[in-house]
């Protein structure tokens, strides 16, 4: 079983619609969680950190469920520019060794007019 | 400023060449990372440096040799690579300590490497 699993998609989303997708992680010792977006042939860019209480940044809402070990991302009022691959990322703090991120395989979102 | 810079953007090298990839950040981060990313796959961690010392080597072949000359710079020296080493090489940095307990990593734009 992969440490971080995501539905690869693609999620075909009409412009203006809402889309949500999840990510599950297997290591209960995981300490921090992120969503990154990656455009084709570009580097991953941090979208948002995910906190236990849930957090919102504009049209994006992230939730963390530690008991069930999943993270979710919801995008409201989808824009064409939201088309990207969304990477679920889990961090195990390595202390003085630094932090070790584990990436999910990514969920591809295509927003269409 | 959350910028990590990498040079070169593109690199084509033969299997007998020696080349180096460079990465720089000025965010005061004391942890720096090298990742390898193949097409349609997520990034895979190669090395972690913390406080300029190599702390994690994910069993990377010795033809990849990292170096951290100071807290802002990270190099990846390449020698005798194979065609299957062609990939996007990403550098990232993060703080070692975070009040929010979050430790976000910030990525550079990557070097697209082709080994012929």
């Amino acid at each position: 079983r992969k440490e971080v699993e995501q539905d690869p998609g693609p999620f075909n989303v009409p412009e203006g619609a809402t889309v949500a997708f999840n990510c599950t992680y297997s290591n209960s010792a995981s300490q921090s969680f992120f969503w990154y977006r990656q455009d084709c042939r570009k580097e991953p860019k941090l979208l948002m950190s995910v906190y236990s209480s849930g957090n919102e940044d504009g049209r994006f809402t992230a939730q963390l469920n530690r008991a069930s070990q999943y993270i979710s991302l919801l995008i409201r009022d989808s824009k064409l520019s939201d088309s990207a691959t969304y990477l679920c990322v889990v961090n195990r703090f390595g202390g003085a060794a630094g932090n070790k991120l584990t990436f999910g395989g990514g969920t591809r979102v295509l927003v269409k007019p | 400023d959350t910028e990590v810079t990498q040079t070169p953007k593109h690199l084509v090298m033969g299997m007998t060449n020696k080349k180096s990839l460079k990465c720089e950040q000025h965010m005061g981060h004391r942890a720096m990372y090298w990742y390898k990313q193949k097409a349609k796959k997520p990034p895979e961690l190669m090395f972690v440096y913390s406080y300029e010392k190599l702390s994690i080597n994910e069993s990377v072949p010795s033809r990849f040799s990292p170096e951290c000359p100071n807290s802002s710079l990270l190099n990846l020296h390449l020698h005798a690579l194979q065609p299957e080493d062609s990939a996007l090489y990403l550098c990232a940095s993060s703080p070692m300590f975070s009040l929010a307990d979050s430790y976000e990593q910030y990525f550079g734009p990557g070097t697209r490497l082709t080994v012929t």
Side-chain angles (χ1 to χ4, degrees):
Chain A
R1 183 187 172 188
K2 290 182 184 175
E3 196 168 333
V4 181
E5 294 204 68
Q6 295 182 249
D7 183 337
F11 284 64
N12 293 300
V13 184
E15 193 175 8
T18 295
V19 60
F21 41 90
N22 291 342
C23 155
T24 58
Y25 62 95
S26 59
N27 190 333
S28 59
S30 301
Q31 293 171 298
S32 51
F33 309 89
F34 310 93
W35 284 105
Y36 282 75
R37 73 168 277 166
Q38 187 169 26
D39 295 291
C40 188
R41 300 178 69 81
K42 299 282 191 180
E43 77 274 22
K45 293 198 171 172
L46 180 66
L47 182 65
M48 56 200 304
S49 302
V50 187
Y51 301 114
S52 297
S53 54
N55 47 303
E56 189 174 307
D57 184 359
R59 297 181 293 106
F60 298 85
T61 301
Q63 299 278 354
L64 167 63
N65 185 319
R66 284 190 185 269
S68 301
Q69 295 185 200
Y70 76 84
I71 307 147
S72 64
L73 182 67
L74 181 145
I75 307 174
R76 282 185 300 278
D77 187 23
S78 298
K79 312 289 185 195
L80 297 177
S81 57
D82 294 333
S83 297
T85 296
Y86 291 84
L87 297 165
C88 173
V89 184
V90 171
N91 182 41
R92 274 182 290 132
F93 178 53
N99 301 294
K100 196 166 174 179
L101 295 187
T102 303
F103 288 77
T107 295
R108 193 159 168 236
V109 172
L110 295 172
V111 181
K112 302 196 172 181
Chain B
D1 180 15
T2 56
E3 189 177 359
V4 178
T5 59
Q6 288 187 245
T7 55
K9 287 188 178 179
H10 300 275
L11 178 62
V12 179
M13 61 185 289
M15 289 190 284
T16 58
N17 291 159
K18 284 186 180 181
K19 295 286 184 183
S20 297
L21 310 184
K22 296 186 183 303
C23 173
E24 189 168 6
Q25 57 89 14
H26 293 288
M27 293 178 277
H29 291 167
R30 301 305 295 275
M32 295 185 76
Y33 310 79
W34 280 115
Y35 290 85
K36 173 182 177 179
Q37 187 174 25
K38 301 282 272 186
K40 299 189 187 301
K41 297 286 187 183
E44 295 176 15
L45 182 66
M46 299 174 72
F47 302 104
V48 181
Y49 272 82
S50 61
Y51 297 104
E52 297 87 68
K53 292 193 188 321
L54 182 65
S55 57
I56 297 175
N57 176 340
E58 292 285 272
S59 302
V60 178
S62 60
R63 56 186 185 269
F64 296 91
S65 175
E67 179 198 17
C68 191
N70 60 53
S71 60
S72 300
L73 292 174
L74 187 66
N75 298 323
L76 186 63
H77 303 297
L78 314 172
H79 174 55
L81 294 194
Q82 304 296 311
E84 59 265 28
D85 296 322
S86 298
L88 180 67
Y89 288 84
L90 294 160
C91 173
S93 71
S94 75
M96 284 298 295
F97 297 99
S98 166
L99 291 176
D101 202 26
S102 192
Y103 312 101
E104 293 98 346
Q105 287 191 19
Y106 296 93
F107 286 81
T111 294
R112 194 161 295 279
L113 174 67
T114 303
V115 182
T116 60

